[in-house]
Structures are given as C-alpha cells and as structure tokens.
Amino acid sequence: MRPLFLLIMMLAAVSGLKAQLTVTSLEADSAFAAIDRREWDRADSLLVLAISARPTDPANVLLLSNLGMIRHYRGLDSLALVTLDDARRIAPRSTVILANRATVLTSLGRTDDALADYDTLLDLDPSQPRPRYQRALLRLSKGLTDAARADAAALDTIAPESLERHTLRAALLSADGDFEEAIPHYTEVIKVNPQPEFYSARAMCYLMTDRLPEAAEDISQGLALDPTDPELYLYRAALNKLRYRPDDAEADARQAIAFGIDPRRAAPFISTDQKHSSRNK
C-alpha cells in the first residue's frame, strides 16, 4: 500500500469513519493508477471525489498537491495554481507544495513569484537539489548569472553526483564558452537520462571543439530519439557545412526551419541564390 494511504489510515481514529475511509482510499488508489497511465482527466475526477468524501481531512493536502500537478499536466495552469494555493493554506511549510507551485508559476510566466517560492523552499530545506537547480535556471533566464553560480556552487557540495549539478554545470560552462569542460558533465547526464536535448547540447560542444565524429554520433543518437528536433537538424547543417557538403547543409537547415527553428539561425547554411529566389516569389 502506498505511504499516502498508510497516512490516511493512521489519521482515522474513529471507527465510524471506517466505511468512508475505505471509499476514499479506493478512489485515491484508482486516481494514482490513472496517474501511472497518464490518464489525467480520470485522475483529476477521482481525486476530486476522494477530497470531497472527507473535506476536513488533513491528509487532503497531499491529494490537493497531486491534483494541482495533474491540472498542470492537463494545461490548466490557472486552475492548478488555485488548487496548490488551497494546499499551501493547509500546509504553508510543505516544500513539496512550494516546489509544485513554483513549477506552475513558471509555466504561467510569473518567474518572480516562482523565484520567491523557491527562496522560501530553500530557506526551509537548503539540501534539496532539484529546487536549487530550478531556481538557478530561472536566475539564468533573468540574467542573474552570479546568483545562478551560487546555486551551482551549493550543488557542488550538497549533490556532487546529481543530474541537477551536472546539467547546471554544463549549461554554465557552455554559456562561458568552456565547451571542452562542459562535455564530461553532459556525458554524466546522458548516462542516466539520454534525452534528445542533452545529445543536442553535447553535439554543439563537440562542434565547437572540432570533434566532428563525436558530434555526428550525438546528432544521430538524438534524432533516433526525436526525428523532429530542430536543434539537431541545425547542428547537422553546421556539421555538413564543416565537411564541405553545402547541399546537405542546406537541406538540414530547411528541415530545421520546418520544425520551428528561427530562420535567422538557419540562414548561414542556405545559399544566397536560394534566399534571393525565396524573397522574389
């Protein structure tokens, strides 16, 4: 049985609540089964039923936290925020709720509010690597590079082998142009989490350090995982240009544009004649 439901059972001290508790647990358990299957609409409905069955139960804060994130996954961020606000009123010092709310606030573009939640969370528990990593990314997005470096330094100490630390260090080193030093960090991340964006980022580092065979391998690995990744096509265009294959470079650049890359980034790989003919059409 999940720890959540052990907690619900421990809170039920009155035998008269036993039948109601069974219904609530079954509904919540079904909700978590739906979450495992990514059936967000069904999970939402079941959690609402579980919460409604015992509206004054303190354990509802855990259900509300999950419900808020389900609504985030459904694309209902405004409703998710209301749900997580309700959860935080019940448990204002819950770091899980603060982390979830910061995620939703970030999705809503309210980065200052998200940073405030991460600040509060890390004041409560400075040892959590994921919120520190997320705060560092937000700080980088707002140009607060020194503050992001402070988070990276903290991760060096509290979670030196974590994916968060390696990912953040790789991003900072790449931003500084230290591509050779960034590569081992991306390698550690890819060992555990081989996602297209990390192959893409390491391929860029390989390109910038003239390690073309390694770049080609990473681009191939990334496209095998996601054949629609525009960054990977752009980097393959760069690779083909370096290998004196202009036609292949142009084809990849056009594919990158088709998948959403800014045409200005792809322009260096498209021939002048083609660009003029496109303007004249």
Side-chain angles (χ1 to χ4, degrees), residues 150-165:
D151 279 331
L155 283 172
D156 289 344
T157 300
I158 64 176
E161 299 305 320
S162 67
L163 292 184
E164 290 84 3
R165 183 254 175 174

Side-chain angles (χ1 to χ4, degrees), residues 205-221:
C205 292
Y206 283 138
L207 285 170
M208 297 302 293
T209 53
D210 294 323
R211 295 169 64 175
L212 303 191
E214 291 92 337
E217 178 62 23
D218 271 5
I219 292 167
S220 176
Q221 292 283 349

